[in-house]
Amino acid sequence: MTPEEFTGAVVLTVNDKKVEVAARPDMRLSRLLREELGLTGTKVGCDAGDCGACTVLIDEEQACACLVAAAQLEGRRVQTIEGIANDPIGRALQRSFHHHGAAQCGICTPGMLMASLDLLRRVEKLSLPMIEAALGGVLCRCTGYLKICEAVLDAQRFLEPDEGLAEDVLLPTGDGDASPAVATAYETRPATSAVAVGARVARLDGLPKLDGSETYGADKAPQDALWLRAIRSPHARARFSIGDLGAFVSNEPGIFRVLTAADVPGENSFGIFPDMKDQPVFAEGETRYRGEAVAAIIGERAAIDGFDVARFPIRWEPLEALIGLEAALSPNAHAVHVSRPDNVLVRGWVEKGDVDSAFHGSAHVAEGVFSTGFVEHAYIEPEAGFARRVGDRVEVFASTQAPYMSRDEVARVLGVEPGDVRIVPSACGGGFGGKLDVSLQPMLAIAAWQMGVPVRSVYTRPESMAATTKRHPSAISARAACDAEGRITAYAMEADFDTGAYASWGPTVAGRVPVHGTGPYRVPNVLNRARAIYSNGPIAGAFRGFGVPQAAIAHEALYDELAEKCGLDRLEFRLLNALRVADETATGQVLQASVGLDRCLEALRPNWKRMLDEARTLNAKRAVMRRGVGIACMWYGIGNTALSNPSRMRLTVTREGKLTFFNGAVDIGQGSTTVLTQIAADALGLPVTVFTLVSGDTDRTADAGKSSASRQTFVSGKAAENAALALRAEILRHTNAGPDARLSLQGSRLTVDVKGESSVIDLASWPSGHDGVVFEGVGDFDPPTEPLDVKGQGVPYATYGFAAQIVALDVDMGLGTVRLDHFVAAHDVGRAINPTLVEGQIHGGIAQGIGLALMEEYVPGRTENLHDYLIPSFGDVPPIDIILVESPEPLGPFGAKGVGEPALVPAAPAILGAIRHATGVSIREIPALPHRVRAALEAAGVALEI
Ligand code: FES
């Protein structure tokens, strides 16, 4: 059918049902499905065919629904995620994804499943390359793709018996856990309903991610919600004046209101730290970065969608902008904020021993300057949500990692009490630190508050990338020294981080980096200094590691050089210097327990030797492709740096026998909902299957702090354990039972069994509160830390995660391209509460480390989409072997620490070390894009002609 023949309605078959839909000929199928038919399982990540999240089947073939117009659909058969369960292969795929932990945040999962269904219907005997080719159009930012490949390869196994998904909550480990894509050296006990900790419990919140029913920020809003769109600066820095808004609104049908700074009822400023609320909701008079909001238009969907920003009455006067650290620190630079005339937002440092003498007296010294660029989070779910006024309160439903922080910031801009704001987190389609800061929440709340109607917004992909935070670009100048035997004697670092136009998490980066700057080694003399620098670049905020990944690139490169200078194998050099229990860190903290780095390195040794041997053999035969092997270690302080970091959890049992876990920790895909429930289940002594979960809503749960800094398993996990123990103690106290008692819960019968003697509590007949609660347990945890003194000495973290990773890769000596062959990652996680989820974090972290090392560089105005900004896709992530080391942390729940950030930190330095091993050339401007590698090879005189 041509657009001319189109009658305004299209008849098609969707999930085996014939439907007639009134639609413009150019309406995208994704919109038709989501908005005309209510099938929101088809997700929209980019609206440009780059991410594949909207993949559906049209006449049995996969297609991006955002690229297909209504006019092309007459008579076609469309299958979406909502119809996947109609197909036995589809059901098998769902079960396999669930079993293998192939969905983390889940926003890509509908697209992945539909592409997988397309493949499995066509091909019976699968191979990894087939999967990579068939699913290659769908991006995932969480999983590193390996568990998706495992799940697709293994799907046949789930064809029979054809049981319901819900019965698959607890899954024993079995043959299906190893595959050609992933091998794990970790053995875990089978899951049973009695023991949850250590079991591969399938994600408790996983089912809605597999059938399209999960509700992300863009998937829900009141019917009468108006739409909001921000007007943003096209310039990195500009003066502006807004014209006659009354006349504008009168002349724009469907646009009812414009909001500017003048409409902010409270403070027109927000930020992470109480004394650094420097970011306005709407800029006033001058913008400081490209993408900054100056106003917002609110109206009907069609008017907002079709609005041409050139019609907005604003006059721009571009001003000279400070782009990059050098410009921001130049003597003639203007002050981005008057409070910081030199553009230095904040300094952090750690000073220990006598660095000058140590360098002077050392046998070997290595030094270098390293730089990295902006890195975009590239979560597949752009920011989205709605706000509505409910009496004298405002409710905001949006994608966030930090509901309580959002609540407080929204209250600040509205000028109301925090209790007058309710944040209901949507499912979070990926965060990685980028959804810690508020984005659209203040604008939505102001609009709903002022207009008295619900208001919603969904950022476009370019808007999401331009307006929100990034990983800090860095310039790190570092020196390291060791004695003749290879013992590290000194480390000194000057690190500048471009925090962009506003503070965001700049202070956290400047504070965390000096502590971690030496890497996880004994270093008696340290002088680490870091600064966060304002510029007119994008706001740099939190991104998986808070500056530690950038610092690790520097220290691991220097330690490779020192190992070489003193004739030690790179792994043995690290093992010689690795922090162990009773060692002192750069901040003077004596590590008391749970320091498993030496065990990680020892576990890697056989692989390391084998991979080095393979490299020697290959390189003896090849000239163009050179094999290199790299190694890197990391440590990561779990939770906030030297700050209070509390979490509270609550469990209740009602008269009806309902056991509810009120958990304010937002699961951003990392699996905290499942892990915390496993912890609570074992501490309480009841299976996870009897828990009802309430998550994240600020009206219903207590503040668990942010899902950041790898803290939820350790901090909220301990709070969950404490809550469960408190509830258990309450129950046992009422039955005079001892600590060995076994509990069971069936309906309103709570049975307490002691050595075969049972007492039954009939909950229905017990006294209860007005909410029907009979028993309650509340648990708190705030990790013990100490403030850092004037020399940065103290106890910044209660515990640390440790890891070492090795990688083998090939470098094309002509083209400068890098092909990854194989990773082995050994991680000390304290205790793997759920090995499947831990592995998923490690895969995903390594994938993001690959992006940092080799691919990703955000350039404002040039890479504001997922076509020009490349993230790893299928085929970019090599096989990853995982070795889980359990060095229990006495403070942690069942010994657990955290793994979110630790998974990413060593990947990039290991890759860069492998490139150096392959070529003899150090790449110090990151990412190591092919042209940079080629240029470095040329400069070293080792490039081959092409
Ligand atoms: Fe794939 Fe989150 S699970 S993007």
Side-chain angles (χ1 to χ4, degrees), residues 193-261:
S193 61
V195 181
V197 168
R200 292 177 182 272
V201 175
R203 194 177 286 272
L204 299 174
D205 56 354
L207 303 185
K209 299 176 196 295
L210 301 163
D211 63 13
S213 63
E214 186 69 288
T215 311
Y216 297 87
D219 294 339
K220 187 174 89 173
Q223 277 295 328
D224 57 343
L226 296 176
W227 284 77
L228 176 148
R229 178 172 160 194
I231 305 296
R232 298 185 179 279
S233 172
H235 307 288
R237 181 175 171 232
R239 229 170 261 132
F240 66 91
S241 54
I242 294 174
D244 184 345
L245 292 176
F248 168 75
V249 170
S250 312
N251 292 329
E252 291 288 343
I255 294 180
F256 307 134
R257 179 84 190 247
V258 178
L259 297 176
T260 67

Side-chain angles (χ1 to χ4, degrees), residues 102-109 112 139-143 148 379-380 428-430 432 668-669:
Q104 289 190 18
C105 82
I107 192 80
C108 72
T109 307
M112 289 291 180
L139 292 175
C140 176
R141 191 55 156 169
C142 298
T143 64
I148 293 170
Y379 28 74
I380 304 301
C428 182
F432 319 115
I668 58 173

